[in-house]
Amino acid sequence: MRYGEFDTASLMYITNRPDLVFERGEGAWLYDHNGKRYLDFIQGWAVNCLGHCPAEITDALVKQAKTLLNPSPAFYNGPMVELAGLLTANSVFDRVFFANTGAEANEGAIKLARKWGKLHRNGAYEIITFDHSFHGRTLATMSASGKAGWDVMYAPQVPGFPKADLNDIASVEALITDKTVAVMLEPVQGEGGVIPASPEFMQALRKLTRERGILLIVDEVQAGMGRTGTLFAYQQSGIEPDIMTLGKGIGGGVPLAALLATESVACFEPGEQGGTYNGNPLMAAVGVAVLRKLLSEGFMESVRARGEYLKQRLLELSEKHGLKGERGCGLLRALILDDDRGPAIVKAALEMDPQGLLLNAPRPNLLRFMPALNVSEGEIDQMIEALDVLLKK
Ligand SMILES: *Cc1c(COP(=O)(O)O)cnc(C)c1O
């Protein structure tokens, strides 16, 4: 497609993008090059947790951009220290390593577990992961993921990621050998179709991993940072994992991710982990602004209330159209359809006139909702009304 004097074909063809260019965003709304507006229930893939261009983030960016961009990862900077302090004060973890993407944070978690295995488990390196899981797009995180077809796409895989079944503790137990160093899971499988690990399963996993002397790693890149109704999803099952990764929401739209570990597990030695942009103050300042907002009086209560409201409205819609219900936690939810029309609904929602709606179907038989955490009830109502029309067709 032509765009001014340029052409979209200059970009590598890595996904089917619609013929429109987004130029501006504000709160729950996005505007394309024709001036058409879209109600956004994707929010950059659960990334813009405070909506498009919130004042908290733009102010933090402008202020930090005028102060210090990047002194180098070999030096401390203020926002990096502040963000790490806020994260450890509000979680069970003691040490933080900042990264730029969720996949990079997960790579760090894999390396940290392998290092720990070298020190404490005779070089054990296998990390049990789960069918349908998603951990990122680097070679190791693709190998850790349980996505169909990913095992052969860039063969050979990185070895050491046997797959168990979510919510089936016996399937995990059966895979533990003297080579096992950890179990890694998403507390709510996001890309897999919004499938929560049950609190009982999380508790059983914690018990099993403790008994066997192996680590428990939670990938909260999608589920963390308030998305599921608590600051971190692991808090809902009352367990204490050894390692956690964060991404997406922590940057509110800018590239920021984090690897957190408890004191006894944080065993990297100088020179074993790093990265040019890791902990840069520009992104860390945004992380501070985002986290302070999430921690502010009443914010998480309102996320839970909006999550409950979205749930009720989706259930009504399901009942009305004879669908198969809904599932999820907080503001990460899915409506289960009666057939595989998910992609067709997503396309029709985008093309609605005069106002489009942005939805996502991680699997053809369901629609996923990941609005900004400060989405209003009125915006939820507008989305439901649009979806009601689409479901009638
Ligand atoms: C999105 C996602 C990742 C990958 O994050 P990137 O920033 O795209 O590298 C990893 N794990 C989970 C659970 C995710 O949802």
Side-chain angles (χ1 to χ4, degrees):
M1 181 186 76
R2 294 298 297 178
Y3 181 66
E5 58 179 301
F6 299 103
D7 198 292
T8 54
S10 300
L11 290 156
M12 275 197 202
Y13 181 49
I14 52 113
T15 186
N16 283 314
R17 295 178 169 119
D19 273 343
L20 49 91
V21 177
F22 284 114
E23 291 185 332
R24 192 163 66 82
E26 197 184 329
W29 299 90
L30 266 179
Y31 297 80
D32 75 11
H33 67 297
N34 297 312
K36 178 178 164 182
R37 74 170 190 161
Y38 301 78
L39 182 57
D40 189 0
F41 270 67
I42 296 177
Q43 287 290 358
W45 243 253
V47 162
N48 309 311
C49 62
L50 303 179
H52 291 283
C53 304
E56 291 88 349
I57 292 185
T58 50
D59 289 352
L61 273 173
V62 169
K63 184 162 169 254
Q64 190 59 43
K66 288 180 176 169
T67 316
L68 179 64
L69 286 177
N70 200 350
S72 139
F75 299 116
Y76 293 122
N77 67 69
M80 156 211 267
V81 176
E82 185 177 356
L83 184 54
L86 284 172
L87 286 168
T88 54
N90 289 283
S91 71
V92 297
F93 304 99
D94 306 300
R95 303 278 184 140
V96 185
F97 169 78
F98 291 112
N100 307 285
T101 68
E104 191 192 2
N106 284 337
E107 283 273 343
I110 293 163
K111 286 187 202 168
L112 187 61
R114 286 189 175 191
K115 173 75 200 290
W116 186 87
K118 219 175 217 174
L119 293 176
H120 303 289
R121 267 187 71 85
N122 253 336
Y125 64 92
E126 283 193 355
I127 299 177
I128 297 169
T129 57
F130 290 84
D131 212 17
H132 304 300
S133 64
F134 180 84
H135 298 294
R137 289 178 171 275
T138 59
L139 278 175
T141 55
M142 280 184 82
S143 305
S145 298
K147 238 175 127 121
W150 276 26
D151 48 341
V152 289
M153 198 180 286
Y154 300 113
Q157 283 195 295
V158 175
F161 298 101
K163 305 287 180 304
D165 297 320
L166 193 70
N167 292 325
D168 178 352
I169 195 72
S171 76
V172 180
E173 199 161 6
L175 290 175
I176 298 178
T177 68
D178 55 9
K179 289 205 193 89
T180 311
V181 72
V183 176
M184 174 160 91
L185 85 163
E186 300 159 82
V188 181
Q189 285 190 344
E191 302 310 303
V194 191
I195 305 170
S198 71
E200 298 74 34
F201 181 67
M202 294 292 282
Q203 286 154 15
L205 258 188
R206 181 65 283 189
K207 185 160 172 279
L208 179 64
T209 49
R210 282 238 163 89
E211 280 167 8
R212 299 303 194 85
I214 58 178
L215 303 176
L216 180 58
I217 306 172
V218 286
D219 173 350
E220 298 218 12
V221 170
Q222 187 161 149
M225 297 304 285
R227 176 61 48 189
T228 60
T230 46
L231 193 55
F232 305 114
Y234 75 80
Q235 294 168 327
Q236 292 180 38
S237 48
I239 62 150
E240 300 194 354
D242 302 296
I243 296 175
M244 173 171 77
T245 53
L246 297 171
K248 297 199 166 94
I250 191 175
V254 305
L256 178 63
L259 161 65
L260 296 86
T262 57
E263 184 64 41
S264 65
V265 174
C267 58
F268 284 139
E269 299 274 350
E272 292 180 343
Q273 177 67 324
T276 303
Y277 294 111
N278 298 46
N280 75 82
L282 190 64
M283 298 306 128
V286 175
V288 168
V290 167
L291 186 49
R292 286 206 183 279
K293 183 75 183 179
L294 266 51
L295 292 170
S296 67
E297 177 86 36
F299 189 89
M300 287 311 307
E301 283 81 357
S302 83
V303 173
R304 287 192 283 277
R306 299 291 150 73
E308 194 54 36
Y309 186 72
L310 176 59
K311 174 182 177 162
Q312 291 311 324
R313 301 262 18 217
L314 288 174
L315 281 173
E316 277 168 41
L317 211 54
S318 173
E319 188 121 323
K320 180 170 172 189
H321 294 275
L323 307 179
K324 297 194 169 141
E326 72 90 56
R327 66 172 172 243
C329 302
L331 284 169
L332 180 59
R333 313 207 73 89
L335 178 66
I336 322 301
L337 304 170
D338 47 351
D339 57 15
D340 285 350
R341 51 189 166 139
I345 292 176
V346 166
K347 185 166 181 289
L350 179 86
E351 290 168 358
M352 273 183 124
D353 256 333
Q355 214 167 262
L357 170 64
L358 301 182
L359 295 176
N360 159 255
R363 299 198 152 204
N365 71 330
L366 56 89
L367 297 171
R368 177 171 48 170
F369 306 88
M370 34 193 176
L373 300 182
N374 54 9
V375 66
S376 70
E377 287 194 357
E379 287 155 355
I380 292 173
D381 289 342
Q382 280 193 62
M383 184 280 290
I384 294 285
E385 280 156 31
L387 195 50
D388 185 33
V389 172
L390 292 164
L391 285 166
K392 272 182 204 138
K393 286 183 184 157

